[in-house]
Amino acid sequence: MESMLTPCPPLSPSEDVRALDSAAVIAALAALAQEHRLAAFRLLVEAGPEGVSAGDLADRLGIPRSSLSFHLNQMMQAGLIVQRRESRSLIYSADFAAMAALVGFLTENCCRGSGC
C-alpha cells in the first residue's frame, strides 16, 4: 500500500546558514529551551508543511490554548515556525529552511571537515 504522507522538504543547508548570526541562533535555541515549545516544535516538524491547527496542537500537547498561544508566539519571533490562516483556523508549521539553517550553523565545522 502506497504511503499518503508527503515527503519532507529538503534539509540541506543553504546560503541561509551563513546568514545566521549568533544572536539569531541564541534566540532560536532559547525558544526551544522550554518543554512545551520543544514538544510543539517536534509535532510541527512531524506534521510537515501541512502544519497543525492551534486547537489541535493544544489538544495533542494537553495544554491550555492561551498558554499555547504564548509559546507559538515565542517560536514565531525566533523564526522557527510560520502561521497561516485557513478559514477561521490558524495553522502553524515548522519553517524548514530556518531549521536547516540552525542545524547547519551548529554543524558547520563538524569534525573539522574530516567527516563524522
Side-chain angles (χ1 to χ4, degrees), residues 6-63:
T6 306
C8 290
L11 291 180
S12 59
S14 63
E15 293 177 16
D16 292 338
V17 172
R18 290 178 179 77
L20 282 181
D21 60 9
S22 293
V25 171
I26 291 167
L29 293 174
L32 294 174
Q34 197 281 339
E35 179 182 3
H36 295 304
R37 289 193 291 266
L38 182 59
F41 186 74
R42 290 185 62 160
L43 282 173
L44 293 174
V45 168
E46 183 182 325
E50 293 80 24
V52 178
S53 72
D56 188 32
L57 198 54
D59 292 343
R60 290 170 68 181
L61 292 171
I63 62 174

Side-chain angles (χ1 to χ4, degrees), residues 73-92:
N73 193 33
Q74 294 293 308
M75 290 188 290
M76 281 195 319
Q77 288 180 2
L80 293 169
I81 65 172
V82 293
Q83 173 194 78
R84 71 180 185 279
R85 182 170 290 281
E86 285 185 7
S87 186
R88 295 177 56 193
S89 297
L90 292 176
I91 307 297
Y92 293 87

